[in-house]
Amino acid sequence: MTTTLPTDSRARTATPVLPTAGAHLALQPLPTGDARITGGFWALRQDRNGRDAIRSGYDRLDAAGNFRNLRIAAGDEQGEAVGPVFMDSDVTKWLEAVAWEYGRAPAEDLLALQREVTALYARAQAADGYVDSVQQVRGKGERYVDLQWSHELYCAGHLYQAAVAQHRATGDTGLLDVAIKNADHLVATFGDGPGKTVEVDGHPVVETGLVELFRETGTRAYLDLAQWFVDARGHGIIERAGGEPTYFSDRVPVRQATTVEGHAVRAVYLAAGAVDVAVETGDTELLAASERQFADMQATKAFITGGLGARWDREAFGDPYELPSDRGYAETCAAIGGIQWAWRLLLATGESVYADAIERLLYNAFLAGVSLAGTEYFYVNPLQHRDGAHPDENRSPAHGRRGWFDCACCPPNIMRTFASLDGYLATATDGGLQVHQYATADLGPVRVETGYPHDGRVVVTVTQDGPLALGLRIPAWSDTTTVTGPDGTAHPAPGTRHVLDRTWSAGDTVELVLDTTPHRYVADPRIDAARGQVAIERGPLVYAVEQADQQGFTVDDLTVDASAPITEERRDDLLDGVVTLRVPGSAPSRHEQAAWPYRRLDTDRTGGTDHPADATSVDDVAGSGDRATILQSVTATAVPYYAWANRGPEPMRVWIPLAR
């Protein structure tokens, strides 16, 4: 079941996506061990994730009953299963996090936890390979009778991903044996042919799991089944079983779809699996469909943070440009799925637009979902939190971040993303290295040092003699970029990849200086919720105004000038060290509840009262019932959106109304 412990931690820092040699790719992940974050912004988050979140995750899963369900299924205990039907998936996402973390920072206690829970999983598995503890206990032995809701294949997909991670990062084969036995069972059960079950799971992810298991084992049947699951969508299978096809990504065949729709996490997980199938089979039609869907999602269904999923109702994508600020859902798992999809498209096409999307998702949509301490989480990530808002369920941001949820899909998903983040920094080609995400790290033939994302200066040092085509992503947000290397200085255009192709000497350096000047952004006018407002970005970071940083006014009342200078201040004492922005604006000198919260603009009357003598126009007066309130000049302080709610769930907004 186990192998000798690795003696070099670098040798086990592996990637969660490792296409075969025959895959149709523009870029390859770096070889195992070549990518390792060594310091700076992401190292701090990884260390807290590994030290605190992953290790405490065992206790969280134990308290929630996830392990007990498996023990009951294994016959170790008696009782009834507890929790949602997908409880096993929380265990396997955590096991995946444990594996990647062990590869990053080997420790005996992690290995012991991994082996304990893996052995429990093996005991719970049925003789024919089936394993799903809740269904085994609660379903009294019934299988696949309600696949639109049962998540049985969803749990299988996460099992496969965890098994592959464990094998790559620790060398253990215990969970891989369980996964192979289960996958063989699925191959014998699903698909076309005599005696096969023609059904798909209501929640995709088995597709990516099967492809990665194929990559790890070479068993072609796993790839074929993944392809069957992808192509079976959109042909009425779920609708005939009584499910609503849009919600389950089953309304349109994947190859014909032009956009994403329905439940956001389901949609992006399916899309990631489709790209995996496309690159391993050389299916250009399927890949083109995925590129088309991603482009439409970015153009019409993504928040400025990169967040995905507009509606609390069914956790779904909304209509095009339906992106509400205060009721936006933007589930953390959807951001993670978006990163996984974009990474696969980057490997498949080599296009930097996908690396830009990963950066936006990582720093804003994903990172906001976890506290700075690394142990408390947001399930949803709206772009505005109003003064006086009250929680309407345990996932509401009005609670603040929480240590766990009844539906705990997000916490272990965050854990595994942090632990595997090294693998998303760079790619390789024959004779080339492409750096996509800037972090202090060792990346095979180069070493990167930077204060990114707060500092736009990046220094790349080549550590080996010889030829190398070094590619550096130039973010689309950087208006002016300077690259200085052995051959001189260049100023590459935004949204490109700058390549320095030469013979290097160990110790040669390249300095990349990106333009992190803060900028105001306006939304497409079809995004009603953001019309007449601006959002502020600095470098890769979206900013927010949070009540904790303001004095004398509430952020709900703030309006800002469209052109007044924004100033920066480095605050090493605040929120683990951030650059704050000082934004000139206006707010009422007092704020009173109106008898009727609407006022006329076609006369000089505001709430029944003439202008005060010192007001120069209707824009200088804020209607307040039967009184008029003079606006005062204020300076608002903005902090990176990812850091909000680390001082309590105070009022916050990303989109700020413009002063008229």
Side-chain angles (χ1 to χ4, degrees):
M1 174 178 165
T2 61
T3 61
T4 304
L5 299 184
T7 56
D8 177 8
S9 62
R10 282 175 47 85
R12 294 296 183 182
T13 307
T15 174
V17 181
L18 194 58
T20 63
H24 297 256
L25 298 171
L27 306 173
Q28 290 279 353
L30 292 192
T32 295
D34 271 11
R36 183 170 182 80
I37 295 170
T38 57
F41 184 87
W42 287 117
L44 177 63
R45 307 310 294 269
Q46 282 190 317
D47 288 347
R48 290 173 178 171
N49 180 63
R51 184 189 65 232
D52 301 322
I54 291 176
R55 284 170 166 85
S56 67
Y58 178 94
D59 296 327
R60 293 287 191 178
L61 291 163
D62 191 35
N66 300 68
F67 296 147
R68 185 170 183 270
N69 288 345
L70 286 163
R71 288 194 291 268
I72 295 170
D76 298 346
E77 293 186 19
Q78 300 296 314
E80 296 298 322
V82 299
V85 294
F86 45 82
M87 290 283 273
D88 285 4
S89 68
D90 296 336
V91 175
T92 47
K93 279 184 282 190
W94 173 80
L95 276 173
E96 184 182 346
V98 170
W100 298 132
E101 180 62 18
Y102 181 83
R104 196 186 73 84
E108 289 288 347
D109 66 317
L110 285 176
L111 201 64
L113 292 175
Q114 172 185 290
R115 291 174 175 173
E116 174 193 332
V117 178
T118 296
L120 174 58
Y121 234 99
R123 294 198 304 275
Q125 187 169 38
D128 66 351
Y130 181 88
V131 58
D132 186 295
S133 68
V134 174
Q135 190 65 23
Q136 286 169 279
V137 176
R138 192 178 292 164
K140 309 301 182 185
E142 289 188 321
R143 303 175 180 180
Y144 312 125
V145 295
D146 186 22
L147 264 182
Q148 61 177 313
W149 292 113
S150 69
H151 290 67
E152 287 162 275
L153 304 187
Y154 170 82
C155 289
H158 283 301
L159 167 63
Y160 305 159
Q161 290 175 328
V164 168
Q166 190 176 114
H167 189 237
R168 288 179 187 163
T170 76
D172 279 10
T173 60
L175 200 61
L176 188 64
D177 293 339
V178 175
I180 289 171
K181 192 174 180 180
N182 182 260
D184 290 342
H185 160 73
L186 293 192
V187 168
T189 303
F190 291 93
D192 295 320
K196 293 289 187 76
T197 299
V198 181
E199 298 282 355
V200 294
D201 197 283
H203 200 311
V205 91
V206 71
E207 299 83 1
T208 52
L210 280 167
V211 175
E212 215 59 47
L213 194 61
F214 153 72
R215 290 165 171 166
E216 197 70 6
T217 65
T219 302
R220 173 74 191 205
Y222 304 156
L223 174 61
D224 292 341
L225 183 57
Q227 183 175 21
W228 185 87
F229 281 134
V230 169
D231 283 333
R233 295 268 166 184
H235 298 286
I237 291 175
I238 288 179
E239 188 171 20
R240 287 192 293 273
E244 198 284 306
T246 299
Y247 173 79
F248 291 107
S249 296
D250 194 45
R251 186 181 65 86
V252 181
V254 174
R255 297 168 187 275
Q256 298 175 20
T258 58
T259 189
V260 286
E261 61 183 21
H263 186 275
V265 181
R266 284 170 163 86
V268 294
Y269 277 179
L270 175 62
V275 178
D276 278 334
V277 168
V279 299
E280 292 294 350
T281 61
D283 192 331
T284 56
E285 179 191 30
L286 187 58
L287 178 60
S290 192
E291 292 181 80
R292 180 174 67 242
Q293 294 156 23
F294 191 92
D296 187 80
M297 179 185 75
Q298 291 292 90
T300 69
K301 296 186 177 181
F303 290 95
I304 193 169
T305 58
L308 304 172
R311 298 178 180 174
W312 280 66
D313 180 28
R314 312 202 88 185
E315 304 181 329
F317 284 107
D319 297 327
Y321 306 104
E322 179 191 344
L323 295 164
S325 292
D326 54 348
R327 293 295 293 175
Y329 205 67
E331 183 182 338
T332 303
C333 281
I336 293 169
I339 292 166
Q340 294 174 355
W341 183 14
W343 176 248
R344 287 161 170 80
L345 285 171
L346 175 62
L347 296 178
T349 69
E351 296 294 332
S352 290
V353 63
Y354 300 117
D356 281 345
I358 291 169
E359 179 178 73
R360 183 171 295 274
L361 284 159
L362 273 175
Y363 283 109
N364 302 291
F366 163 72
L367 199 53
V370 59
S371 66
L372 294 177
T375 54
E376 293 181 305
Y377 309 92
F378 274 153
Y379 193 108
V380 299
N381 297 279
L383 278 66
Q384 182 177 0
H385 180 59
R386 295 181 182 279
D387 190 17
H390 296 288
D392 51 10
E393 59 172 85
N394 70 357
R395 282 175 272 182
S396 170
H399 280 292
R401 292 185 181 83
R402 300 174 71 84
W404 209 249
F405 302 97
D406 293 337
C407 174
C409 53
C410 295
N413 218 359
I414 290 170
M415 293 177 199
R416 68 173 181 156
T417 302
F418 273 132
S420 61
L421 191 59
D422 312 71
Y424 291 98
L425 300 183
T427 57
T429 52
D430 186 17
L433 174 77
Q434 302 81 40
V435 183
H436 303 289
Q437 306 302 328
Y438 294 114
T440 297
D442 290 335
L443 301 174
V446 306
R447 182 176 67 253
V448 180
E449 295 174 293
T450 182
Y452 206 83
H454 303 302
D455 186 342
R457 180 174 178 266
V458 181
V459 177
V460 181
T461 302
V462 177
T463 58
Q464 302 173 10
D465 295 336
L468 177 70
L470 175 62
L472 303 174
R473 178 179 65 93
I474 310 303
W477 50 259
S478 182
D479 288 347
T480 58
T481 299
T482 302
V483 179
T484 305
D487 297 326
T489 298
H491 300 283
T496 62
R497 182 181 302 129
H498 184 67
V499 179
L500 298 94
D501 191 356
R502 69 187 308 275
T503 298
W504 302 82
S505 298
D508 285 346
T509 63
V510 177
E511 182 183 68
L512 173 69
V513 179
L514 301 168
D515 181 2
T516 59
T517 302
H519 293 286
R520 299 171 180 85
Y521 287 79
V522 296
D524 186 295
R526 288 168 287 187
I527 302 177
D528 298 285
R531 192 177 295 147
Q533 302 177 71
V534 293
I536 301 170
E537 293 185 15
R538 180 183 182 272
L541 301 178
V542 174
Y543 271 67
V545 288
E546 188 177 13
Q547 193 59 52
D549 301 302
Q550 322 309 327
Q551 292 184 347
F553 67 95
T554 68
V555 298
D556 290 343
D557 295 336
L558 178 66
T559 61
V560 296
D561 192 301
S563 58
I566 297 174
T567 57
E568 306 177 16
E569 182 182 3
R570 176 76 198 195
R571 289 286 304 277
D572 292 328
D573 61 327
L574 182 67
L575 301 169
D576 279 341
V578 296
V579 174
T580 62
L581 302 180
R582 305 279 285 172
V583 185
S586 302
S589 58
R590 61 181 181 271
H591 190 64
E592 300 176 7
Q593 182 171 319
W596 182 244
Y598 307 98
R599 64 190 179 95
R600 288 164 54 173
L601 287 179
D602 58 350
T603 72
D604 288 341
R605 296 168 58 197
T606 61
T609 301
D610 291 338
H611 284 309
D614 56 349
T616 59
S617 76
V618 71
D619 295 325
D620 295 324
V621 182
S624 181
D626 59 357
R627 295 193 176 192
T629 302
I630 304 299
L631 296 178
Q632 59 178 336
S633 295
V634 299
T635 300
T637 298
V639 297
Y641 168 73
Y642 73 75
W644 93 275
N646 279 277
R647 295 166 289 180
E650 298 202 26
M652 174 278 300
R653 64 188 306 152
V654 169
W655 288 105
I656 311 168
L658 280 169
R660 291 173 298 173

